[in-house]
Amino acid sequence: MYCPSSYILVSGIGNDKFQLVSFDKALYASRIANYNLVKVSSILPSMCKEETTVTARQGSILFTAYASISSSKSGKIAAAVGVGLPQQPDEVGVIMEYSCMDCKEVAVQRVKEMIQKSMELRGSKIQEVKIESIEANVTDGIFSTAIAALAMW
């Protein structure tokens, strides 16, 4: 069975009069628009290494845990994703994601809390928590999308 060995944390904002296009623009800003995203549950395989760019061939499948939010009503939107890395390298990490109509600090705090609880559930001690977050100010009538993602390949 295939198991990813690399991952990246990314985020982006997209704006457009069409909601789906604003989502695509957010993916493009995140540098993962040219891949087929398969949404997965929140487990990072053991021994997965963080990368700074996606090295998979464009058009291929990226397994992705992400939070996204779209709105066309004036206000703030935010998305955050984080991963809890275990002290023991043979244990899995836990990925948590959250989006809201609020500032990114709220999203980050929720992600941190969820990572802590999920690592405790597994009896894993946390070595490090990595978080990617973003927020946008939405203008009435134009869709804004915020996305924060952990992509694996």
Side-chain angles (χ1 to χ4, degrees):
M1 176 83 48
Y2 174 75
C3 188
S5 59
S6 298
Y7 76 94
I8 190 170
L9 290 161
V10 295
S11 62
I13 299 292
N15 300 294
D16 199 89
K17 69 178 183 175
F18 298 109
Q19 186 174 7
L20 188 56
V21 176
S22 76
F23 180 75
D24 191 40
K25 286 180 175 182
L27 292 175
Y28 189 81
S30 301
R31 304 172 312 197
I32 58 173
N34 292 335
Y35 299 90
N36 289 299
L37 306 181
V38 175
K39 197 163 187 179
V40 295
S41 62
S42 302
I43 297 297
L44 181 73
S46 62
M47 312 296 235
C48 230
K49 296 196 184 326
E50 185 176 20
E51 305 286 347
T52 56
T53 59
V54 178
T55 57
R57 190 174 106 215
Q58 289 192 10
S60 62
I61 291 172
L62 284 185
F63 297 104
T64 313
Y66 68 86
S68 70
I69 185 168
S70 295
S71 180
S72 62
K73 294 187 179 164
S74 190
K76 283 189 184 198
I77 58 172
V81 65
V83 60
L85 302 173
Q87 288 181 359
Q88 299 299 318
D90 61 332
E91 293 179 350
V92 297
V94 174
I95 307 161
M96 291 290 156
E97 57 279 340
Y98 184 78
S99 61
C100 57
M101 296 193 71
D102 208 329
C103 63
K104 71 179 184 177
E105 290 79 15
V106 170
V108 166
Q109 186 57 41
R110 292 282 166 83
V111 166
K112 284 180 183 177
E113 289 174 21
M114 291 188 292
I115 288 170
Q116 181 69 38
K117 288 181 177 289
S118 291
M119 291 294 276
E120 284 174 8
L121 176 67
R122 288 163 176 77
S124 295
K125 293 187 178 172
I126 297 173
Q127 176 179 316
E128 184 178 5
V129 172
K130 296 183 177 195
I131 295 181
E132 178 76 23
S133 63
I134 198 159
E135 75 178 28
N137 290 312
V138 180
T139 303
D140 266 337
I142 300 291
F143 281 101
S144 291
T145 299
I147 187 168
L150 184 148
M152 300 177 274
W153 65 98

